[in-house]
Amino acid sequence: MAGNNITSIVLLGFPTLNKFKVTIFCLLLTIYCFSLAGNTLIIILVSKTKSLYSPMYFLLTQLSLSDILLTTNIVPNLLCALLTDGINMSLSACLTQFYFFGASESSECLLLMVMSYDRYLAICHPLHYNPIMTSNLCVILVTISWVLSFFILLFETLNVNQLYFCGSNVIDHFFCDYAPLLKLSCSDISMVHIRTSLLCFPVIILPFILIVTSYIYIALVILRISSTSGQKAFTTCGSHLLVVSIFYGALFSIYLIPETGQSTAIRKIFSIVYTVVTPLVNPLIYSLRNKDIKETIRKNI
């Protein structure tokens, strides 16, 4: 960052919502608190309940951990921006927020991929599930997911860090995202986009392809078995499929649709979906649709 004439960043948040900022602040604070409580509850229940000691529930705790990291990285600054009509943060703090945001998003993509593989084995190859999806393999896959996410995002952050930032230091967003950061740069960003595309493929695009492939095989297997067994089999992975749909739907709406075709307000709304709403929805979906989780909660109330 040597030579940059920008040392601080101003995040505008939602400057046009002055009349509703207190209401929105209370709503987002409530969502954040319930999100933390729900994801923490899942982690505690799975870690304390022997009947939930299985790869599926271990993966669920890792997804909850990723959600906690994501929402805690974003929401506190968002709440401050709402109350103070924008916040100031140093450029290094902005890049740090971008790093942890990207790492948590990438880890969620990889964890969802591992969860889809787990469901694929359980439904398509039930006799081979226990020999293949052992505790050791599950830990290895989760470790690779976390390490790969943080490692790739380190390169991505260093990639952005090498740019020269000048001129305006105002970002019309509520967190330091990739595209708004690049808008502040006076450097040639063509190579940055190419390197970013290469780095994003193994942690975003490839997991999505493998998730879709897994569910195609799952659907084919379910269609070949009896209706009762098929409904039961699909129920076991329906929650995961719903989470994937919400997460990737919002993610692709932001990063695959050209920015020129979206207003700033629309992009902020989609960003809120996968940074604020999704971490709340995930534990609700898994707890409300999962008999084991509901039974464990009932026994501990």
Side-chain angles (χ1 to χ4, degrees), residues 156 159 178 189-200:
E156 174 66 3
N159 192 25
Y178 174 75
I189 61 175
S190 57
M191 288 304 299
V192 174
H193 281 309
I194 294 174
R195 288 193 292 266
T196 297
S197 299
L198 294 175
L199 291 172
C200 286

Side-chain angles (χ1 to χ4, degrees), residues 80-106:
C80 290
L82 278 171
L83 289 183
T84 59
D85 296 323
I87 59 171
N88 289 284
M89 60 194 311
S90 66
L91 181 57
S92 59
C94 188
L95 290 172
T96 300
Q97 185 186 54
F98 167 71
Y99 171 68
F100 283 103
F101 160 72
S104 58
E105 288 286 271
S106 299

Side-chain angles (χ1 to χ4, degrees), residues 30-289:
T30 301
I31 292 175
Y32 177 58
C33 291
F34 275 103
S35 176
L36 287 182
N39 284 291
T40 302
L41 178 62
I42 286 179
I43 294 173
I44 293 174
L45 287 176
V46 173
S47 62
K48 298 293 184 180
T49 308
K50 290 184 178 181
S51 61
L52 299 181
Y53 286 2
S54 68
M56 182 177 69
Y57 293 113
F58 174 69
L59 293 171
L60 181 56
T61 64
Q62 299 305 301
L63 186 65
S64 293
L65 186 60
S66 177
D67 284 334
I68 290 174
L69 175 62
L70 171 62
T71 192
T72 301
N73 182 48
I74 301 297
V75 176
N77 282 337
L78 169 58
L79 295 176
C80 290
L82 278 171
L83 289 183
T84 59
D85 296 323
I87 59 171
N88 289 284
M89 60 194 311
S90 66
L91 181 57
S92 59
C94 188
L95 290 172
T96 300
Q97 185 186 54
F98 167 71
Y99 171 68
F100 283 103
F101 160 72
S104 58
E105 288 286 271
S106 299
S107 65
E108 185 139 352
C109 292
L110 291 172
L111 289 170
L112 288 172
M113 178 188 69
V114 176
M115 293 175 76
S116 70
Y117 175 65
D118 175 78
R119 292 300 85 203
Y120 163 77
L121 285 178
I123 295 174
C124 299
H125 303 283
L127 298 180
H128 301 287
Y129 177 78
N130 289 328
I132 296 176
M133 188 55 75
T134 62
S135 298
N136 288 338
L137 177 61
C138 194
V139 170
I140 290 172
L141 292 176
V142 166
T143 302
I144 291 174
S145 298
W146 283 109
V147 172
L148 186 62
S149 300
F150 279 92
F151 188 71
I152 286 181
L153 259 295
L154 178 60
F155 278 100
E156 174 66 3
T157 304
L158 293 175
N159 192 25
V160 176
N161 187 53
Q162 292 175 354
L163 297 174
Y164 175 70
F165 294 94
C166 60
S168 174
N169 67 334
V170 177
I171 292 179
D172 189 8
H173 209 342
F174 58 87
F175 72 99
C176 294
D177 201 359
Y178 174 75
L181 268 173
L182 261 58
K183 284 184 178 180
L184 303 183
S185 175
C186 299
S187 305
D188 181 8
I189 61 175
S190 57
M191 288 304 299
V192 174
H193 281 309
I194 294 174
R195 288 193 292 266
T196 297
S197 299
L198 294 175
L199 291 172
C200 286
F201 181 79
V203 293
I204 297 179
I205 305 300
L206 182 59
F208 178 74
I209 294 173
L210 293 178
I211 289 170
V212 171
T213 302
S214 296
Y215 274 97
I216 289 175
Y217 280 105
I218 289 172
L220 292 175
V221 169
I222 290 176
L223 291 174
R224 289 201 301 263
I225 59 182
S226 63
S227 59
T228 303
S229 300
Q231 290 177 1
K232 184 177 179 180
F234 191 78
T235 299
T236 62
C237 59
S239 299
H240 177 256
L241 185 58
L242 183 57
V243 168
V244 169
S245 301
I246 295 173
F247 178 76
Y248 269 103
L251 199 63
F252 286 163
S253 297
I254 291 291
Y255 297 108
L256 292 188
I257 297 177
E259 190 172 353
T260 54
Q262 294 180 341
S263 68
T264 302
I266 294 298
R267 293 181 68 83
K268 289 180 182 179
I269 291 173
F270 280 127
S271 296
I272 284 181
V273 169
Y274 70 83
T275 59
V276 182
V277 178
T278 300
L280 170 67
V281 171
N282 287 354
L284 288 177
I285 290 174
Y286 282 112
S287 62
L288 292 178
R289 292 174 58 88

Side-chain angles (χ1 to χ4, degrees), residues 18-37:
N18 290 330
K19 294 182 180 179
F20 308 100
K21 66 179 182 180
V22 174
T23 302
I24 295 175
F25 173 87
C26 294
L27 176 61
L28 292 179
L29 179 60
T30 301
I31 292 175
Y32 177 58
C33 291
F34 275 103
S35 176
L36 287 182

